[in-house]
Amino acid sequence: MDVDFTKPAGIQRKQYRDFTDQINPKPNVLVNAIWAFVVGGIICTVGQGFLNAFLAAGLPVLESGAMTAVVLIFIAAFLTGLGVFDDIAKYAGAGVIVPITGFANAMVAPAMEARNEGLVLGVGARLFTIAGPVLVFGIVAAWLTGLLYFLFR
Amino acid sequence: MPAAKKQGLQTLVFQNPPVIVAAGTVVGGKEAQGPLGKTFDLAIDDPYCGEKSWEHAERRMLEDAAKTALKKAGLGTQGIDFFLAGDLENQILASSFAARSLGIPHLGLFGACSTFYEGLIIGAVLIDGGFAEKVLVAASSHCCTAEKQFRFPTEQGVQRSLAQSWTVTGAGAVILASQGAGPVITHATVGKVIDLGQSDPTNFGAVMAPAAADTIVRHFQDTGRPPEFYDLVVTGDLGIYGRELAQGLIGDHGYRVEGRYTDCGILIYDHDTQDTHAGGSGCACSAVVTGGYLLQQLQAGKLQRFLGVGTGALLNVDSPKQGETIPGIGHGVVIERR
């Protein structure tokens, strides 16, 4: 007996939750973590390569960092446009979503979809649907950190 | 006094069983490559169908399915009394636009992914009640319009949950008539909205299984028929895990459907090679499998009678975020060879 339908609704729900826990497939966390580590590592290595190249070309440290971010954003946006990014992310998961590449993808993907709803109310309005919360809480966290630094330095 | 054509609590018995005289099915590329690929009338590989948006494409598929059914039945749009249709777009717009171009008196339906079966029931009622001679019933879904509306942008890099299903791209249409040759609809069991507290919008199988089980058990109780009376019991889009859950819940009520129970969402894709995770879902899942494969099995005499149950998860984009659980619904229809 998985769920006893003579029991009150609360107990039925609890029994059903236990039943679904038995049946639902479990993700393979280890495999996912290895994929994320390897792909995330590759992206960081590629980024470091660009950084070194910009430094070697004579760009100052700050500008080199910014240029590296620009290049990675371009690559991620380009792969999103080609429809490849989501195929990579299927395996790489957090490895490709957590670095700046994920942020670029989160901006381009909704923009591509919204283009037939117009430039302003479509693309303009939808551009930040995924990235918006990241920005909001990123800015809030930065502001709080700054405040703590100001008070306790 | 109980209604004259009702048996038990939720089951309708048709005195002059409406005949399914023709069916039309249109699917996308992924469905065409699946195990049922050859059972569909039309396959369109391009997710845009050459149109400017996915929404236009879905509407085109719905119209094409309806036109295919009409053509097979040798009927024009004037020969149809009602066009019953629904889909998953906001405010079922694909259906409204298809109805605009078909020009048949229209009732728009929403039963989430159970819409096609809801349409079969209402169509059969209209015909057996004497309000219509011929009714066109259709439903559509499109994986891109559904993903866009309910989940993430399609190019967004996300890992899909393992219990998640793949929305079927396509449309199915059938023509019900008061007379003619073809399989008939003898009974229908209208489902209740059932909620066993599931709230994961990426696991519709678990959400809908209790509703499917409730309707199936109710059907057996109302009609007094044992599961063995049917060659097949087939749910709409529970997928692999939902089917197992539903089978367990039906067993908890004391009915055993093992060996004669499957799901349209399992039939439509190849689980091992097509990477659909739990299986197919969406309005079109039950519509194209019923309108294609299942009706063809009846016509070929491989099945005599089946109980089909369209299943739907009742949510919108905001309800899970607002902490609501997701209720489900299932509508049962008995289709017999004649």
Side-chain angles (χ1 to χ4, degrees):
Chain A
M1 179 70 75
D2 307 301
V3 178
D4 186 347
F5 286 100
T6 58
K7 292 276 195 306
I11 294 174
Q12 287 182 26
R13 286 183 172 203
K14 164 83 177 60
Q15 288 175 333
Y16 185 57
R17 196 159 58 237
D18 295 340
F19 185 27
T20 56
D21 284 344
Q22 282 171 41
I23 303 284
N24 286 343
K26 316 277 180 297
N28 192 333
V29 177
L30 183 69
V31 171
N32 285 344
I34 291 171
W35 266 103
F37 180 79
V38 170
V39 177
I42 291 172
I43 291 171
C44 294
T45 313
V46 170
Q48 187 65 44
F50 280 115
L51 185 66
N52 291 353
F54 286 124
L55 286 172
L59 227 57
V61 178
L62 265 179
E63 276 80 353
S64 295
M67 281 307 291
T68 305
V70 168
V71 171
L72 288 179
I73 287 172
F74 170 77
I75 294 173
F78 188 66
L79 290 178
T80 304
L82 291 180
V84 182
F85 190 93
D86 55 329
D87 296 328
I88 301 172
K90 197 175 91 185
Y91 297 100
V96 73
I97 296 168
V98 174
I100 202 163
T101 45
F103 193 79
N105 168 251
M107 303 267 303
V108 177
M112 283 169 66
E113 266 189 8
R115 70 181 191 278
N116 54 32
E117 287 155 29
L119 202 58
V120 177
L121 295 177
V123 176
R126 299 276 196 89
L127 201 57
F128 289 95
T129 46
I130 311 283
V134 181
L135 286 177
V136 168
F137 293 106
I139 290 166
V140 169
W143 184 81
L144 284 175
T145 317
L147 188 69
L148 290 174
Y149 178 73
F150 175 75
L151 293 174
F152 298 109
R153 70 188 153 144
Chain B
M1 203 181 84
K5 296 181 183 180
K6 218 174 135 197
Q7 188 175 19
L9 294 174
Q10 289 164 234
T11 301
L12 319 180
V13 184
F14 299 108
Q15 315 277 287
N16 302 302
V19 187
I20 302 176
V21 291
T25 50
V26 181
V27 293
K30 195 178 181 83
E31 293 71 26
Q33 286 159 14
L36 302 184
K38 289 196 169 62
T39 63
F40 305 120
D41 294 311
L42 212 66
I44 305 171
D45 205 25
D46 173 17
Y48 285 96
C49 297
E51 305 278 343
K52 63 180 180 183
S53 71
W54 294 318
E55 286 80 2
H56 270 86
E58 181 172 349
R59 161 189 329 175
R60 250 281 295 286
M61 288 181 148
L62 190 53
E63 288 172 27
D64 285 352
K67 285 175 186 163
T68 306
L70 286 169
K71 198 172 148 199
K72 280 198 207 170
L75 289 166
T77 51
Q78 312 86 335
I80 305 291
D81 297 301
F82 297 101
F83 173 50
L84 310 181
D87 58 88
L88 293 179
E89 285 180 25
N90 281 331
Q91 286 74 43
I92 57 167
L93 215 56
S95 300
S96 302
F97 280 120
R100 178 180 70 181
S101 78
L102 290 170
I104 305 169
H106 171 57
L107 291 170
L109 306 178
F110 183 81
C113 307
S114 73
T115 300
F116 184 70
Y117 275 77
E118 182 180 349
L120 288 179
I121 296 175
I122 297 172
V125 166
L126 286 170
I127 288 175
D128 192 32
F131 298 100
E133 276 298 303
K134 293 188 175 64
V135 176
L136 178 59
V137 178
S140 69
S141 56
H142 190 302
C143 89
C144 298
T145 61
E147 284 293 315
K148 175 180 169 183
Q149 182 173 324
F150 289 102
R151 301 198 180 100
F152 294 103
T154 51
E155 295 301 332
Q156 174 89 15
V158 285
Q159 281 182 316
R160 297 171 60 240
S161 137
L162 291 177
Q164 203 165 327
S165 46
W166 188 275
T167 307
V168 170
T169 300
V174 293
I175 295 171
L176 306 183
S178 61
Q179 47 207 344
V184 292
I185 296 178
T186 62
H187 294 69
T189 302
V190 178
K192 289 194 281 195
V193 174
I194 302 287
D195 188 347
L196 275 189
Q198 292 288 303
S199 56
D200 180 0
T202 67
N203 187 352
F204 287 154
V207 164
M208 300 185 292
D214 188 79
T215 300
I216 291 168
V217 168
R218 174 54 56 197
H219 177 81
F220 294 150
Q221 288 172 345
D222 282 353
T223 57
R225 293 174 168 182
E228 298 74 47
F229 196 78
Y230 296 101
D231 298 323
L232 196 66
V233 175
V234 53
T235 45
D237 56 350
L238 297 187
I240 296 162
Y241 313 105
R243 190 199 81 100
E244 246 179 277
L245 290 166
Q247 188 165 284
L249 295 177
I250 294 167
D252 292 342
H253 283 283
Y255 291 94
R256 300 197 65 79
V257 289
E258 277 82 349
R260 61 183 71 245
Y261 169 40
T262 189
D263 181 78
C264 297
I266 297 175
L267 294 171
I268 193 166
Y269 296 123
D270 184 331
H271 179 60
D272 297 321
T273 60
Q274 292 194 291
D275 194 36
T276 47
H277 294 198
S281 65
C283 297
C285 185
S286 57
V288 298
V289 175
T290 306
Y293 174 73
L294 291 172
L295 289 183
Q296 288 160 21
Q297 290 281 303
L298 284 180
Q299 273 147 2
K302 289 182 183 146
L303 291 176
Q304 285 301 321
R305 180 187 295 119
F306 71 87
L307 170 62
V309 181
T311 42
L314 305 172
L315 80 165
N316 62 26
V317 190
D318 297 322
S319 65
K321 290 183 207 157
Q322 291 169 341
E324 301 285 352
T325 54
I326 307 173
I329 193 160
H331 295 304
V333 171
V334 177
I335 304 180
E336 266 185 26
R337 181 165 192 247
R338 203 174 63 180

